[in-house]
Amino acid sequence: MKLRVGARTDIGRLRERNEDAYLVEEPLFAVADGMGGHRGGNVASALALETIRGEGPLPADPEALVDRLRAANRAILQRGAADPRLAGMGTTVTAALCDGERLHVLHVGDSRAYLFRDGSLRQLTEDHTLVQRMVREGRLTPEEAERHPQRSILTRALGVEGEVEPDRVTVPLRPGDRVLLCTDGLTGMVDAARIEQVLRDEPDPQRAADLLVEEANRAGGDDNITVVVVDVEEAGNPAPAQARPTVALRREDPAPAPRVGPPGAAQDHAAAPAPEEGRRPRPRWRPLVGWAALALLVLGTAWAGARVYLRAQWYVADAGGRVAIYNGVPLRVLSWQLSEVEEVTDIPTAEALRLRTWQGLADGITARSLEDARAIVEQIRLDVRASRGATP
Ligand code: CA
């Protein structure tokens, strides 16, 4: 079995930065859609794919790939805690590993993997979004979910919690199959029927990737768009004259980083470290301070970083019988509560907990920002109100 790959990422027509990234390193492929202020989104998506790629050999099996995703989660949390400007950053990841006979997909967030076979498109991943959860529970139709104002609220992402559990899907592959990995900048703008048609009409994977990006931009290009198309062919076919990307990692608008060669060559953007890191001068005073002072300094910096990190975390949970928004993380270290109540609503927690969608309130529902938390609260309010109507 042989693979042919096409890939493209594009800033879209409205965004100021491209926070998406992709990884093409046969037989491993991935897309990531970063989020977070400053350059946080770029850093999170790139850091995730760099960690998944790793320094040495590629992950050999899905278990090794799960480990890399978990390592990526930790790396994002650590970098966010160490740099206040990156606090609260996160990313989706949809990664696919081909073992010659099967495709192993690992997935966190709302980027997607599809299998195009015999002319029709099948979605392999399920979005980790609030609206998708409501679709599964029959409380929204898929069409309603597509237009829902809170459709981008993620229920799972890398960089949010200490532990992350990726979804895993394995499908047998056969010649003629096409695998599509993409971020929501494609699927939010172009419907599945149109994506299917493009994949049916355009046999070349790079051309197909380009066309899909063009379709998303033509439909408005509201978001960054990233597409990876992997074609499965018989091993015996002669190699086509196509210049296949051998890119390790690519972002569309890389920050000026050291070691950049001629412009235009995609490899130049490979695994570029965050620019701050490359330029930070080495402290000259280190040999002068004693180890104790250094240790104190490290502890102090870690604590300052932790506080900044906590300030950027939000969740929704109970406070004295009412649904409330908390700032911090729902944890207690020794006698230290790592969060405080930001806003208390008039919604009785007990009523919300009776609704299956909101049972997560018991442990706290993670939000990406205060605005996200407020959106979640509004959704809880609507749901509680609706349930009151349903049970007279
Ligand atoms: Ca996006």
Side-chain angles (χ1 to χ4, degrees):
M1 211 171 263
K2 203 162 60 66
L3 304 176
R4 282 177 75 205
V5 189
R8 169 125 171 239
T9 186
D10 189 88
I11 193 167
R13 298 174 69 181
L14 293 184
R15 297 295 171 96
E16 285 177 8
R17 280 194 298 266
N18 189 351
E19 301 187 317
D20 285 0
Y22 69 75
L23 172 71
V24 170
E25 191 147 341
E26 221 176 293
L28 177 63
F29 312 95
V31 296
D33 176 355
M35 62 208 87
H38 188 62
R39 301 193 68 87
N42 303 36
V43 174
S45 59
L47 185 56
L49 297 190
E50 285 164 25
T51 311
I52 287 167
R53 168 62 187 84
E55 302 263 301
L58 290 172
D61 52 41
E63 284 68 35
L65 191 50
V66 170
D67 290 343
R68 299 271 176 103
L69 252 78
R70 294 203 171 120
N73 184 51
R74 289 192 297 273
I76 294 167
L77 284 170
Q78 279 161 12
R79 177 80 71 86
D83 186 342
R85 290 166 304 173
L86 301 177
M89 67 177 174
T91 185
T92 73
V93 166
T94 300
L97 180 67
C98 176
D99 72 2
E101 290 172 347
R102 289 165 302 174
L103 184 78
H104 306 282
V105 178
L106 272 94
H107 165 68
V108 176
D110 66 352
S111 300
R112 291 180 182 175
Y114 289 90
L115 178 64
F116 178 80
R117 172 179 288 174
D118 299 333
S120 64
L121 191 67
R122 172 158 72 98
Q123 191 176 331
L124 298 176
T125 51
E126 181 171 280
D127 295 348
H128 295 141
T129 56
L130 197 54
V131 293
Q132 179 54 35
R133 199 194 288 178
M134 290 158 78
V135 167
R136 199 186 326 145
E137 289 165 1
R139 290 150 26 75
L140 279 183
T141 66
E143 294 71 36
E144 286 168 336
E146 268 172 33
R147 293 185 301 271
H148 200 282
Q150 269 102 53
R151 64 183 176 274
S152 63
I153 295 179
L154 298 181
T155 52
R156 239 188 282 178
L158 260 55
V160 177
E161 286 169 25
E163 287 302 320
V164 67
E165 190 53 46
D167 282 353
R168 289 174 56 162
V169 187
T170 295
V171 287
L173 286 178
R174 57 185 199 223
D177 283 349
R178 279 195 136 165
V179 177
L180 168 68
L181 305 181
C182 60
T183 58
D184 68 337
L186 175 68
T187 51
M189 306 305 301
V190 184
D191 64 25
R194 181 68 192 132
I195 294 173
E196 187 179 80
Q197 193 187 344
V198 170
L199 292 178
R200 200 182 293 137
D201 293 348
E202 176 51 63
D204 180 76
Q206 186 57 53
R207 279 289 302 150
D210 292 342
L211 282 173
L212 289 170
V213 167
E214 280 164 31
E215 286 282 335
N217 275 328
R218 201 172 304 145
D222 288 357
D223 198 355
N224 309 143
I225 311 143
T226 300
V227 176
V228 175
V229 177
V230 183
D231 284 359
V232 181
E233 298 181 343
E234 296 278 12
N237 281 5
Q242 167 216 31
R244 191 177 56 204
T246 52
V247 184
L249 169 62
R250 156 106 200 196
R251 284 177 283 156
E252 194 207 41
D253 59 343
R259 295 185 286 104
V260 169
Q267 286 89 336
D268 300 337
H269 310 146
E276 294 81 4
E277 228 175 49
R279 272 180 278 154
R280 188 179 296 148
R282 203 167 272 275
R284 295 170 184 280
W285 39 262
R286 186 179 286 170
L288 301 178
V289 283
W291 285 112
L294 186 62
L296 274 178
L297 188 69
V298 167
L299 278 175
T301 309
W303 172 235
R307 283 181 52 183
V308 170
Y309 169 76
L310 290 172
R311 279 299 299 167
Q313 308 303 309
W314 301 91
Y315 67 99
V316 179
D318 172 68
R322 305 277 160 181
V323 173
I325 296 175
Y326 284 80
N327 184 208
V329 294
L331 280 180
R332 178 179 278 276
V333 174
L334 302 177
S335 62
W336 234 323
Q337 187 64 41
L338 298 185
S339 61
E340 55 191 39
V341 174
E342 180 82 13
E343 292 171 9
V344 183
T345 70
D346 55 356
I347 309 167
T349 308
E351 280 193 64
L353 282 172
R354 273 200 290 275
L355 306 173
R356 263 188 56 209
T357 318
W358 301 114
Q359 283 170 3
L361 266 177
D363 300 321
I365 296 171
T366 306
R368 273 160 35 188
S369 62
L370 180 57
E371 288 65 42
D372 255 11
R374 286 182 177 144
I376 291 171
V377 162
E378 279 322 298
Q379 193 59 50
I380 295 174
R381 188 188 305 283
L382 290 174
D383 291 352
V384 164
R385 205 173 284 161
S387 76
R388 282 178 190 156
T391 48

